[in-house]
Amino acid sequence: MTRRFRFPDGFLWGAATSAYQIEGSPLADGAGPSIWQRFAHTPGMMANGDTGDVACDHYRRYRDDVQLMRALGLQSYRFSVSWSRVLPEGTGRVNPKGLDFYSRLVDELLANGIVPNATLFHWDLPAALDDRGGWLNRDSADWFADYAQILFRALDDRVPMWATLNEPWVVVDGGYLHGTVAPGHRNLYEAPRVTHNLMRASAAGIQAYRALGKHAIGVVFNIEPKYPASDAPADIAATRRADAYMNRQFADPALLGSYPPELREVYGEAWPEFADAECRPLRQKVDFVGLNYYTRAVVRHNAAEWLLHAAAVPQAQRPRTETGWEVYEQGLLDLLTGFRARYGDIPLYITENGAAFADPPHVAGGLLEDPLRVDYLRRHLKAAHAALEAGVDLRGYYAWSLLDNLEWSLGYAKRFGLYHVDFTTQRRTPKASAKFYAQVIASHGEALAEP
Ligand code: BGC
């Protein structure tokens, strides 16, 4: 018997992007520089010397891009707001033209029947705030709440879904510990302090929303399920550390009001031992949690590995994407059921899921064939459906990403889009995955069944 994959009515189908990755024109209309503007213009930081100066030129082409969303039948679009467009110095003076861009984008979405889902912080901190210590400064939580209030006042009448932060782990691990993303620090002692200030900021943003907002607010985590390489106690302990560091370091304070005990082992003397009274207020009622899923890791104890004393075991026989990530759809199901088991019944959205593949430059019938991406989406959407069948309160799915875009320090070479972007001409071409996703949406998931 052919399995059926019908998703419930009201399940929200979307696609996601973020400001610095697609907008371009980073200093237009009075915007201040962000830390990504600085980082991308620092020699040696970006693959191929790429920057977000032009990106997908979405800042000027947003109307056309909304038509691409419409062609997919998207019901919702998840985007992020560039803080330094709205507040060029990060605090104080509002730049009306910067705010107006998001107001126009939201109007355009609504005029096309697409629900706006706005993320307040997707990594592009105003450079002026970095000059004041950035996320190391305890005032950052207040800066963030003040910025959030400006957005709530301007757009909550039209934006029904908000998220405070996108993937705080990347900011901490890439931005402050390994220096691979902005602001490019490498400092073990900074990392847990940044975690704490990010989680304080998220909590302050949610509190501000309770006073001003009328709809829903949540926070977005990237969760990478960790599986032990064997039953050996050392591997199981290593897996727990890896999970605490990447996943629970953020979800626990936000949803339970405490940090996982393994973080003491991980950070050693760099762990600040936050008092309970510091941690409890990090837990604020959220209306939903957004989960970004790309891959999993199989973990083995390895004393030689710095920090975690754990190593990811490559799964040689399994398919991988262009970013080297194993394709493992079971991980999405495990993540969703595991998240509910640990944190209880909170409405969940998959706020990002997708894959980079080198798309062949072959256009057949106006479509660019990307069978690997179609396969990736099909597998993961089936896993999402299985989670619904297992009783998870999953409310929607956002594909990453609408367009090929700037994959941060990996530059433009890693393509995640449903639409191919020619970065010389800015021409957008639908990939076969765009057509496939449109069919899935139109059929409420029925198109996931194999032909
Ligand atoms: C981020 C995106 C990024 C994607 C693929 C997530 O970590 O939120 O900005 O492009 O994954 O790496």
Side-chain angles (χ1 to χ4, degrees), residues 21 122-123 166-167 170 292 294 325 352 400 407-408 416:
Q21 294 181 273
H122 197 129
W123 312 350
N166 177 74
E167 300 193 358
V170 174
N292 297 349
Y294 290 92
W325 301 342
E352 289 180 28
W400 183 272
E407 179 52 18
W408 304 107
F416 281 84

Side-chain angles (χ1 to χ4, degrees), residues 32-116:
S34 72
I35 56 172
W36 268 95
Q37 163 77 7
R38 271 191 186 162
F39 187 81
H41 284 272
T42 306
M45 293 307 190
M46 304 286 286
N48 197 34
D50 288 342
T51 72
D53 288 1
V54 178
C56 305
D57 198 22
H58 172 79
Y59 189 71
R60 299 191 305 161
R61 295 170 193 258
Y62 71 93
R63 284 199 181 83
D64 297 341
D65 289 339
V66 171
Q67 290 314 306
L68 301 181
M69 300 173 204
R70 201 181 154 143
L72 290 175
L74 288 195
Q75 296 161 353
S76 182
Y77 172 56
R78 173 173 178 255
F79 61 96
S80 78
V81 176
S82 160
W83 186 339
S84 57
R85 282 198 200 283
V86 176
L87 290 161
E89 289 88 32
T91 55
R93 183 181 63 88
V94 173
N95 173 30
K97 285 187 170 170
L99 194 52
D100 188 54
F101 169 68
Y102 296 104
S103 179
R104 284 181 284 125
L105 171 63
V106 163
D107 285 344
E108 192 69 17
L109 290 167
L110 293 173
N112 285 278
I114 299 166
V115 175

Side-chain angles (χ1 to χ4, degrees), residues 73 139 153 234 344 378:
D139 293 345
R153 287 205 173 92
R378 188 193 300 275

